[in-house]
Amino acid sequence: MHPLRRLLSYARDYRGSVILATTFSILNKIFDLAPPALIGAAVDIVVQKEDSLLGKLGVTDVSDQLWILAAVTLFIWIMESVFEYIHKLYWRNLAQTLQHHLRMDAYSHVQDLELGYFEDQSTGGLMSILNDDINQLERFLDIGANQLIQVVTTVLVIGGGFMFVAPSVAWMALIPMPIIIYGSVMFQRRLTPRYLAVREHVSSLNSQLANNLGGITTIKSFTAEKRETERIRAESQAYRRANQRAILLSSAFTPFIRMVIVSGFIGIMVFGGQLVLDGTLEVGVYSVLVFMTQRLLWPLTSLGEMFDLYQRAMASTTRILDLLDIQPSITDGEQVLDHVAGDVKFEDVHFSYKSGQEVIRGLTLEIPAGETAAIVGATGAGKSTVIKMLLRLYDVTGGKVTVDGHDVRNLRLEDLRGAIGLVSQDVFLFHGTVRENIVYGRPDATQEEVIEAAKVAEAHDFIMSLSDGYDTIVGERGQKLSGGQRQRISIARAVLKNPPILILDEATSAVDNETEAAIQRSMERITVGRTTIVIAHRLSTVRNADCIFVLENGLLRQQGKHDELVETDGIYANLWRVQTGLRDGTKFSIM
């Protein structure tokens, strides 16, 4: 389907506003086209006097005719100004409204897409669609749509008037029309792929910029500024070249239109003048024809700019609506989950990525409500994937995951994820205050509740030592805080949410020993009375778990308590010996 039809289908709720804006644009142009006719009437009065059109209508006094013409002129100019104000008001508000709703629909839709989609996309590319592409559409609605409507109105009104008053020469002014329309269509077809290429290069450039700005610390630490500057230069050059290809073609449109227009203008001027000399055409009518020919044909030169705006908007519209057409593979269930005890089961679960690589194979495990379970294993064993399936960030490709006996695929996502608190190793703090980040899961929490959660997470003391306490700005991704401080705020956020199921995904993997001890104390308090799942590399952090599950290459190899697994020769015992420095019962150290 053509992008304009897709856009009109999307914007059907705004049909009334579009009709009104179009009507006011047409009325504005009709009154705008009237002054040349008034010039002809003025010439008619001073040349024909009592025999002018107004004289034939009964106003014989020439002075009265001029005053009537002046009154009509004032009325026309007032109405033109009024309708210009109204049509701009409608088109600009429509552009802003449609832009806002389209951006919000696109953003809401993106949030509903599964995690796998984001792993295949770049942040900069999505930002380009949600911001730059939607702004391109706004610019067309703000300027181009009205211009296009007024050009069409000009052609119809003046062309119709020509055929009425001087059909013998009017055809000369209309001859260029088919050529202009055909040329416009041909230019449009050639411009479409070029502007699509421009939008793709914009997306790629934005993606690289976002990537580099996010990794500025790494760039500086590896003194890679020059290399990254060259990378951005290459992307920017590619964008510039794509634009140059579009500009090369779009810039030729206006000169082409001019050369076609001049033929019609010359025809009217020469052959119309000959009719005046022959006495078959009135001087006033001739003056209007010459002037109106310019008014008829000259606006067509703006078609180049209009088509430029139009093609950019349609290229952007295609990208926006293609994004909206992506169907999420993880859809909301219908079953309501009121009370959650916290019993979690994986029953013969399999999971494969789109590439076909199977990372979880026949996983069966049970975590009774209120107990603490640990999932351990080497990197790539599938530990984090297990957690993502419980949260339904991924859906199983075989078997099922249940909470309190309910298949998670049947549950409302809001209920399921609302019952689970996640403390991840990759802590994400939003740009804002400490308090705003802690209350993220419970925006209505009181200050007393926030402080209590921070104390449980052993974060209150360091928060109070910050410049503005709980009102301290943490910076983008919490960059103004240390890793341990970010982790403790993340724990406070989970404590305040008070979920029946708590997931601690490598919560102590990137902190020092002192911070780890503080987090361990916090964990001992917050795991009481709730189902807790701990993902860990450091086995010392899971010694007291009720059950430890050992994964290897997506398979469950061992399960049991710490002491049992250490005594049993296997994967866990080997990991324990490596981490504690024991080999064959002997402590070793690296000097």
Side-chain angles (χ1 to χ4, degrees), residues 479-509:
Q479 60 185 347
K480 296 172 71 173
L481 304 177
S482 70
Q485 290 172 333
R486 290 196 297 270
Q487 192 66 273
R488 279 183 272 183
I489 288 177
S490 175
I491 293 173
R493 183 162 60 189
V495 170
L496 187 62
K497 184 180 179 181
N498 194 28
I501 301 173
L502 179 65
I503 299 172
L504 302 170
D505 185 6
E506 303 285 4
T508 63
S509 63

Side-chain angles (χ1 to χ4, degrees), residues 114-122 353 388 394:
E114 67 279 1
L115 185 62
Y117 172 81
F118 296 94
E119 293 172 345
D120 295 333
Q121 304 296 319
S122 69
Y353 288 106
K388 290 173 181 176
Y394 296 142

Side-chain angles (χ1 to χ4, degrees), residues 40-330:
V43 172
D44 187 46
I45 290 172
V46 298
V47 173
Q48 301 294 339
K49 297 182 174 62
E50 292 84 358
D51 295 328
S52 68
L53 179 60
L54 285 177
K56 293 175 182 178
L57 293 175
V59 184
T60 56
D61 186 83
V62 175
S63 180
D64 290 343
Q65 291 181 33
L66 290 173
W67 278 111
I68 290 173
L69 187 62
V72 172
T73 301
L74 179 62
F75 172 77
I76 287 173
W77 281 68
I78 290 174
M79 295 309 296
E80 179 194 355
S81 299
V82 168
F83 286 122
E84 180 177 4
Y85 170 75
I86 296 175
H87 86 66
K88 285 183 176 179
L89 198 66
Y90 266 82
W91 278 117
R92 290 178 179 178
N93 282 329
L94 177 64
Q96 293 299 320
T97 301
L98 187 58
Q99 171 197 232
H100 168 70
H101 287 164
L102 190 56
R103 178 177 287 115
M104 295 312 301
D105 286 348
Y107 176 71
S108 297
H109 181 72
V110 165
Q111 286 199 127
D112 290 337
L113 297 176
E114 67 279 1
L115 185 62
Y117 172 81
F118 296 94
E119 293 172 345
D120 295 333
Q121 304 296 319
S122 69
T123 301
L126 287 173
M127 285 292 294
S128 177
I129 295 174
L130 295 173
N131 191 43
D132 195 45
D133 282 326
I134 290 177
N135 289 341
Q136 288 286 349
L137 179 58
E138 178 211 357
R139 280 190 282 273
F140 171 69
L141 290 173
D142 199 10
I143 302 171
N146 170 67
Q147 288 182 341
L148 189 60
I149 291 167
Q150 293 203 337
V151 166
V152 173
T153 303
T154 298
V155 171
L156 294 176
V157 171
I158 297 180
F162 272 22
M163 295 303 296
F164 179 74
V165 299
S168 58
V169 293
W171 59 272
M172 296 179 186
L174 301 179
I175 278 180
M177 294 297 176
I179 301 173
I180 292 171
I181 293 172
Y182 176 77
S184 300
V185 172
M186 294 306 296
F187 268 91
Q188 176 188 340
R189 288 179 178 174
R190 290 178 178 272
L191 275 171
T192 297
R194 299 192 183 197
Y195 276 126
L196 278 173
V198 169
R199 301 314 311 153
E200 291 299 327
H201 282 292
V202 168
S203 178
S204 179
L205 177 59
N206 284 347
S207 175
Q208 191 63 50
L209 286 169
N211 190 57
N212 284 16
L213 292 174
I216 192 65
T217 303
T218 302
I219 291 173
K220 286 181 175 295
S221 66
F222 282 90
T223 61
E225 291 91 343
K226 291 182 179 179
R227 186 165 69 249
E228 293 303 330
T229 298
E230 288 303 314
R231 197 196 303 267
I232 294 299
R233 179 178 285 109
E235 292 287 353
S236 185
Q237 284 280 29
Y239 171 55
R240 184 172 69 125
R241 285 192 292 269
N243 253 317
Q244 285 174 335
R245 290 187 68 247
I247 291 169
L248 184 67
L249 186 59
S250 64
S251 297
F253 185 79
T254 298
F256 165 76
I257 296 295
R258 285 174 184 268
M259 297 311 298
V260 177
I261 285 172
V262 74
S263 63
F265 187 75
I266 290 173
I268 288 291
M269 184 172 61
V270 174
F271 291 101
Q274 190 65 49
L275 292 176
V276 173
L277 294 174
D278 294 341
T280 57
L281 188 66
E282 298 289 343
V283 175
V285 174
Y286 174 67
S287 64
V288 172
L289 283 175
V290 172
F291 195 83
M292 291 298 277
T293 299
Q294 190 268 345
R295 291 295 301 273
L296 168 66
L297 299 177
W298 188 252
L300 296 177
T301 61
S302 65
L303 281 175
E305 180 184 351
M306 281 183 278
F307 273 114
D308 192 73
L309 283 172
Y310 173 77
Q311 286 301 336
R312 289 178 183 271
M314 290 305 100
S316 294
T317 296
T318 298
R319 283 159 49 86
I320 297 165
L321 297 181
D322 283 349
L323 176 61
L324 285 169
D325 285 343
I326 297 173
Q327 296 300 313
S329 61
I330 295 179

Side-chain angles (χ1 to χ4, degrees), residues 344-352 358-366 386 389 395-402 407 409 549 551 554-556 559:
V344 175
K345 290 182 182 178
F346 285 71
E347 301 178 19
D348 192 26
V349 169
H350 292 257
F351 176 75
S352 301
E358 191 173 41
V359 294
I360 299 295
R361 295 176 285 174
L363 177 63
T364 297
L365 59 84
E366 179 177 0
V386 170
M389 287 189 293
D395 262 344
V396 300
T397 52
K400 65 179 180 178
V401 180
T402 66
D407 191 325
R409 290 170 292 189
F549 299 96
L551 297 185
L555 293 169
L556 178 61
Q559 68 180 78

Side-chain angles (χ1 to χ4, degrees), residues 454-587:
K455 287 180 177 179
V456 172
E458 297 204 12
H460 177 71
D461 290 342
F462 90 76
I463 292 173
M464 294 306 297
S465 69
L466 298 175
S467 58
D468 296 311
Y470 283 86
D471 294 321
T472 301
I473 300 295
V474 301
E476 190 172 6
R477 299 184 66 92
Q479 60 185 347
K480 296 172 71 173
L481 304 177
S482 70
Q485 290 172 333
R486 290 196 297 270
Q487 192 66 273
R488 279 183 272 183
I489 288 177
S490 175
I491 293 173
R493 183 162 60 189
V495 170
L496 187 62
K497 184 180 179 181
N498 194 28
I501 301 173
L502 179 65
I503 299 172
L504 302 170
D505 185 6
E506 303 285 4
T508 63
S509 63
V511 297
D512 55 50
N513 291 334
E514 182 180 349
T515 303
E516 180 185 357
I519 292 175
Q520 279 292 107
R521 292 192 297 271
S522 301
M523 289 167 55
E524 290 173 4
R525 289 193 289 269
I526 63 179
T527 58
V528 176
R530 74 182 82 236
T531 304
T532 306
I533 303 173
V534 182
I535 307 293
H537 275 300
R538 298 182 185 178
L539 302 186
S540 59
T541 63
V542 299
R543 293 183 62 174
N544 297 324
D546 296 303
C547 186
I548 300 172
F549 299 96
V550 184
L551 297 185
E552 183 183 50
N553 297 325
L555 293 169
L556 178 61
R557 295 298 191 183
Q558 291 180 286
Q559 68 180 78
K561 291 184 177 293
H562 170 78
D563 293 339
E564 298 170 355
L565 295 173
V566 168
E567 292 173 2
T568 303
D569 190 24
I571 297 171
Y572 187 88
N574 289 333
L575 288 172
W576 178 254
R577 284 195 291 268
V578 168
Q579 291 187 16
T580 56
L582 293 175
R583 293 285 179 86
D584 299 325
T586 305
K587 181 88 173 179

